[in-house]
Amino acid sequence: MLNIGDVARESGVSVEALRYYERQGLVAAPDRDDNGYRLYRPDAVARVRFIKRAQEVGFTLSDVKELLALQARPGASCGDVRMRAAGKMREIEGKIATLQRMKTFLEAWTAQCVDAAPAERCPVLDALKNDETD
Amino acid sequence: MLNIGDVARESGVSVEALRYYERQGLVAAPDRDDNGYRLYRPDAVARVRFIKRAQEVGFTLSDVKELLALQARPGASCGDVRMRAAGKMREIEGKIATLQRMKTFLEAWTAQCVDAAPAERCPVLDALKNDETD
DNA sequence: CTTGACCCTGAAGCGCGGTTCAGGGTGTAG
DNA sequence: CTACACCCTGAACCGCGCTTCAGGGTCAAG
């Protein structure tokens, strides 16, 4: 059995984050030792790593909660999971597109920049004063 | 001279946002009418549009404050502005790269999905249980 | 028997860019 | 004279994912 600090170390998150996950219902509240310390079964580490990896590919904690619920629900199908993943992909693609648009504008503007020119005649500032970005 | 609502309408932001910009020092506090109403000169609209467009290409309000300071400072050069823009571009590129990595993982995982399979044998969940994403 | 690392709780704070709320005054059309 | 749209202020609130703080108890080593 593991103390919260052990789980934190092995899963690479902070002790505070673990208590936070418990409050949010992402990790089941473990049994307590006589002194009140949380006592985790070793598989808790796997659960926390699941959460961490899901976050790394863009799922919010509330998304993760749904995924964990699917995982636990008998009768849930792979398609249910794929739908969530596909939705997240579309979300990510939207963000990439937005960022790409920003980058394109900045590229176009800075390309016209002559470093030594005074700021009063800066193409970037001019663009911000006059252009439509949408 | 314009009331705050006029400026809001013409620049496409909310009245509350305008008051917020004033508090943050992005827009100079305008004179007041006898009744205490803010009275803006027409060029205030251009300033707010500048802020809005800068935000649209990824600058935070604190970035915008710096850009506006450069614009006002005699002796500031175009290179100063370009440096900020280039830094923002790198920031954006970093975000795109992160999102792209997320997307790549999700794509690979969902590609192996067979919709009808039970969630217990879902490649996406399996990946979250076992893969390293970094 | 003290030191230091660990554990507990509840509440508050952070960044960001506003929005919302409570509680007022003002201006004008009908 | 009464709606109703507009304006004012200061303070609190939102989401998100934690972190920090205040104020304690526990446990192992030396």
Side-chain angles (χ1 to χ4, degrees):
Chain A
M1 298 297 258
L2 306 167
N3 278 339
I4 195 168
D6 303 325
V7 177
R9 253 184 311 279
E10 290 187 36
S11 53
V13 306
S14 74
V15 166
E16 295 76 25
L18 286 177
R19 288 196 278 245
Y20 178 73
Y21 294 161
E22 185 180 323
R23 280 202 299 287
Q24 301 305 306
L26 288 156
V27 171
D31 289 341
R32 300 296 183 114
D33 203 345
D34 291 344
N35 52 23
Y37 289 17
R38 286 169 180 79
L39 272 186
Y40 292 89
R41 273 171 295 107
D43 61 2
V45 174
R47 154 87 43 152
V48 177
R49 286 192 179 145
F50 181 104
I51 296 169
K52 228 189 127 194
R53 278 192 291 265
Q55 280 189 291
E56 280 164 0
V57 296
F59 290 107
T60 65
L61 292 185
S62 119
D63 295 331
V64 176
K65 211 168 165 183
E66 283 190 32
L67 289 176
L68 289 167
L70 279 181
Q71 193 183 18
R73 203 183 71 212
S77 78
C78 199
D80 296 331
V81 177
R82 204 182 48 75
M83 265 182 47
R84 258 94 180 166
K88 188 55 64 177
M89 278 181 56
R90 276 193 298 278
E91 204 181 306
I92 290 172
E93 280 160 7
K95 287 184 187 176
I96 290 176
T98 298
L99 289 166
Q100 196 60 60
R101 268 195 303 278
M102 295 177 178
K103 191 186 153 192
T104 302
F105 275 108
L106 288 172
E107 265 170 349
W109 297 348
T110 54
Q112 302 168 48
C113 248
V114 178
D115 279 15
E120 296 81 50
R121 270 189 295 287
C122 175
V124 177
L125 295 180
D126 278 357
L128 287 171
K129 277 180 234 159
N130 306 313
D131 279 20
E132 303 298 332
T133 51
D134 42 36
Chain B
M1 300 295 259
L2 307 167
N3 278 339
I4 195 168
D6 303 324
V7 176
R9 253 184 310 279
E10 289 188 34
S11 54
V13 307
S14 74
V15 166
E16 295 76 26
L18 285 177
R19 288 197 277 246
Y20 178 73
Y21 295 162
E22 186 180 322
R23 280 202 300 287
Q24 302 304 307
L26 287 156
V27 171
D31 291 341
R32 300 297 182 113
D33 203 345
D34 290 345
N35 52 23
Y37 289 16
R38 289 168 178 80
L39 271 187
Y40 293 90
R41 274 173 293 111
D43 61 3
V45 174
R47 155 85 46 148
V48 177
R49 285 193 180 145
F50 180 106
I51 296 170
K52 227 188 128 194
R53 278 192 291 264
Q55 280 188 290
E56 281 165 0
V57 296
F59 291 106
T60 65
L61 291 187
S62 117
D63 295 332
V64 177
K65 211 169 166 181
E66 283 189 31
L67 290 177
L68 288 167
L70 279 181
Q71 193 183 18
R73 203 181 72 211
S77 78
C78 198
D80 296 330
V81 177
R82 203 182 50 76
M83 267 181 48
R84 259 93 180 169
K88 188 55 63 176
M89 278 181 57
R90 277 193 297 279
E91 204 181 306
I92 290 172
E93 280 160 8
K95 286 184 187 176
I96 291 177
T98 298
L99 290 166
Q100 196 60 60
R101 268 194 303 279
M102 294 176 177
K103 191 186 154 192
T104 303
F105 275 109
L106 289 172
E107 265 171 348
W109 296 348
T110 54
Q112 301 168 49
C113 246
V114 177
D115 279 15
E120 296 82 50
R121 269 188 297 287
C122 175
V124 177
L125 295 179
D126 278 358
L128 287 171
K129 277 180 233 159
N130 306 313
D131 280 19
E132 304 297 331
T133 50
D134 41 39

